[in-house]
Structures are given as C-alpha cells and as structure tokens.
Amino acid sequence: MTTPLSAPPPHSDTHETEAPDGEDQAQRAAELAALHRAADAGEAAAAWVRELAGHQCEEDHGRLLERVAEAIVQASSREIIPDSDGLLTEELRYTLAAGVVLGASHTTGTLPELHDGERMPLITVCAIAAALPSCVLGDLARELNLLASELAAAIEAGRTATAAGDARVLPLRQLRALGHEHGDPLNRLAYRGVFDSAVESFEIALHYQDGRGEEACEEALHNALAAAGPGIAAAALLRVASDPALGLDLDQWEHLHRLATELDLDVVEDLGGANGDGTTDPTQPRPA
C-alpha cells in the first residue's frame, strides 16, 4: 500500500516541479553576470578617475580623486548586496557627490585641473556608481546592466574629453614625433598615389590637346586638379578625424572616414597602411 508520503501529489507534473529551480538558476546566473559587468565598469571608471588624479599639481586634489576612485570601486562591487536596503554609507554618498568637481578647494583655494568636457562625465560616473547598490531593491540583473551600460558611456565621454584636452596642450614637437607631419611614410605613400593620378590625367589631356598651345595646358591642368582633388580632400578629412584635440566621438569619426572613402578609397587605404607601410622609395612608380 502506498503511503501518503510516497504518493505524488494530485495533478503533479515533473516539468512543473522542476521549472522553478531552472528559472532560479537562470536568474542567479543573469544576476551574477550583471554583478561582474557592474564591477568591471566600476574598475574602468576608477582607472579614468585615477588618471585625473595623476594630472593634479595640488596633492590635495589628487588625494581626493584617489578616494573617489576607490569609492567607485566599492560602490560598484562590495556595496551591491542582495536582500540589503540598497543604501550607501554616508561617507560613500559624500565622496561620490557632485562636489567632486570642486575637489579640495576648501583647503587649497583652487579648483582641480580638469579639461573642458571632463567635469560632466566625472559627475555622471559618480552618480551612476552611487546608484548601483539600489538595484538590489528591483530587478537586479536588468537594472545593473542598464546602469553599467550608462557608466561605460560616461567613461567613454570622459576619456574622449581627456584625450582632446591633452592634445590641445601637447607641444608641436611631440605631435611631430607621433607622426603628424608630412614626413610620415604613409603620408608619402598617399601623396604619391594622388600625384601619379594627377600626372596621368595631365599627360592624357595634354596628348589629346596637342597643338592648342596655352589652351591645351589649361585643359590638362584642369584634368590634373580634378583627378587630385578628391584624394586631397579625403586625406584632409582623415587628418581631421584623427586629431584628438577635436574630441570626436566614434560616430563622428566613422562619418568622416565614410566621406573620405567615398572620395578616394585608395588614399584611405594608403593612410591606413592597407597598401603597405610606405617605407618603399616614394620616387618609384606605384604597383599596378
């Protein structure tokens, strides 16, 4: 006789009894992945803030930003505690407040040395980090992933502003050392391509205009300029796109590259190194 303990409950279904466990495991896996993502974003944000700290001449500003970096790491990892009240300690809330852009001005009488465009991302990074622990009160995985994405976007904006600001104060000799001068082998390669195209157009036009004197030269020169123009414009667009002082975002950079490609694909490939490293003798004809 079957005892009540060994009998299955009425209308039981094996899949129904196992489903909650499977759902719980999937939820726990999603939450764990979101926790790792938040921690990684926090580490990246803290690394950028530490760079800002390293730019400070006033030690007090540097130390304060170092504390902010540590607070970001803590708020994006150890402070995200499931089943807690989701609140930060008063010290962490104070450290991550918007006053971070004022630094230690109450003791130094100066403001932190921040480039244009760095302050807003810095405030945003701190605000998002401070909000991360509260995700435990709602849909942890979904909310953490959303805030981690926003934190990554704020970091990207901050790093773009930092790169642009650094480039604006970079001495000219350093820019040259980085290859921003006409002696760059890839520049020479691109120039040779544009030059060859112009010469070919010039010679063809001059050949068919034989015997027309000055008019023939003008027509040939017109053809040469028409052949060289798109390549020159493409090269100029690429130089603008690669200038960190402009602080272009990825969409703007891609847009300029797309325009340059439409103007002259060969120049884009030359300057990108797709057609070689540009170290061959630029006086030799380009390969067909």
Side-chain angles (χ1 to χ4, degrees), residues 248-265:
L248 301 182
D249 60 29
L250 181 59
D251 288 339
Q252 294 167 327
W253 184 89
E254 289 180 342
H255 178 64
L256 291 179
H257 272 251
R258 187 162 51 250
L259 292 177
T261 301
E262 291 172 358
L263 286 168
D264 195 316
L265 175 60

Side-chain angles (χ1 to χ4, degrees), residues 179-190:
H180 288 257
E181 80 286 359
H182 295 294
D184 188 310
L186 296 180
N187 278 351
R188 296 201 304 271
L189 185 66

Side-chain angles (χ1 to χ4, degrees), residues 87-177:
L87 298 177
L88 286 175
T89 64
E90 183 177 355
E91 181 181 0
L92 284 177
R93 288 200 304 272
Y94 178 80
T95 303
L96 296 174
V100 63
V101 296
L102 301 177
S105 57
H106 59 286
T107 59
T108 64
T110 63
L111 293 174
E113 297 179 38
L114 297 172
H115 295 309
D116 292 340
E118 286 182 333
R119 291 178 179 81
M120 187 57 70
L122 179 57
I123 293 174
T124 303
V125 162
C126 290
I128 294 174
L132 288 171
S134 66
C135 292
V136 300
L137 303 177
D139 186 336
L140 180 61
R142 182 177 65 85
E143 294 176 11
L144 268 186
N145 280 318
L146 174 62
L147 290 183
S149 295
E150 295 300 322
L151 184 55
I155 298 164
E156 182 180 354
R159 289 196 176 280
T160 297
T162 298
D166 288 346
R168 284 192 290 268
V169 299
L170 198 62
L172 181 58
R173 62 179 180 276
Q174 289 182 267
L175 284 174
R176 287 175 175 163

